[in-house]
Amino acid sequence: MHQAPRLFIPKPCLPWLGLFLTLLIQAQPLVIHEDESKVPSYKLPSLLNMENGMPVQTESAWVHFRRPELLEMFTHQMYGAVPDGQVSVSAELLSEEDGLMDGMARRKQVLLRFAREGSDSSAEVHLLIYTPMTEKAVPAFLGLNFYGNHTITADKGVRISTAWMRDNPRQGVVNHRSTEASRGVLSTRWPIETIMKRGYGLVTAYYGDIDPDFDDGWKNGIHPLFYRQHQQAPEVHQWGSIAAWAWGLSRILDHLELEPWIDHHRIAVMGHSRLGKTALWAGATDPRFAMVISNNSGCGGAALSRRAYGETVRQINSSFPHWFCDAFTRFNDRESSLPFDQHQLIALMAPRPVYVASAVEDQWADPKGEFLSAKHASEVYRLLGVRGIELDQMPDLNHPVGSRVRFHIRSGKHDVTDYDWEQYLRFADEMLPSQ
Ligand code: GTR
């Protein structure tokens, strides 16, 4: 009888062989495309059928059954659950000044301190609040920023952040710390004077105050405040950084409920890119946000995962292993087996107004996938008796479409521009009218 040849591997070589095979697998090139013809055929999971197949035909069935079911799936399979834990928050007013911007605006800086009894960890979040000098409380935009509050304005009264930052010498961040040179470097993204003139407040905080944006094994930021004894890292279904930033937005909203010049019933949460993903998750988890704005949020935000166009699930989990919960890696290269897709995330905002904005040169974020999400989510808005997006095709450039779900694709790159803000302000004028 013929015997199969046996491969003899000396025992001491086995660990090296294992390492070699692991490296070989990891070295597989990631298949990333920005080519419409390579989008796999896919079927989106249903919005208006329960997981057991039961149709969802009434507002009550959506509110009480389908919405919680979807929220639960996104929580445990993607963004991660916030663990139980009693964290105390205290607020300290650091400064308050009136009559800024030719007498038009006031500025407040408030420090929120998070602590937990028995834990050495704590976190400090610096809020920057601008409001117009009106006599009544105003609606406001709330958004996290990428490099500290002082980068959104040249206003010298704004404290320079001392927190850890991603290095960026061009923007005045050296050795992971901001310098005076970083003041105002991102001001084009925050047209504060226009926002004030239009009668809105603007509230921001540095996202790294809540959780520094790097994979540090979960030692810093807000996560350790929630650990049980001897716990070192979040569990497989527990929160990543995006969920932590979104949690931080909700805590800021708690504080805004106490701010006399802000109408906390009319807060639009907005964010760009990874912070656009964060704004969407904040809107999904906290219905107190009256409006949600996603600017170029892409993969893990507004873009449909199943299209695998531009950034994919594997790519995002590899580049940013700390953004989502560990369970999300199970869907690397397996987008079609995700039990949900991002149109369902947008639908979690319904019937609140939601704006999804794309840019034509931001193919990495898959503008078409962002449009399709917004469009499909509109099915739930219809069920709830309001209009979303009725259009089937991507609209022309710089031509916003939709009612309570609105979308535009503008010319230009991955960024937040005056054009974007003009649309958000108009949307807010329409959807957050004064009471
Ligand atoms: C990219 C990432 C995107 C987006 C962006 C950003 O590197 O691939 O998902 O979030 O960063 O936040 O600027």
Side-chain angles (χ1 to χ4, degrees), residues 22 26 89 119 144 170 173 175 178 191 230 237 335 376 380:
T22 313
Q26 283 179 352
V89 190
S119 162
L144 298 175
R170 263 190 319 128
V173 182
N175 295 329
S178 271
H230 306 307
H237 296 288
E335 281 88 354
H376 288 300
V380 175

Side-chain angles (χ1 to χ4, degrees), residues 146 272-275 277 297 299 311 316 320 323 364 414:
F146 280 90
H272 169 59
S273 206
R274 67 199 69 185
L275 296 177
K277 309 179 209 298
S297 63
C299 178
E311 188 168 32
I316 204 164
F320 308 102
W323 281 3
W364 182 241
H414 186 71

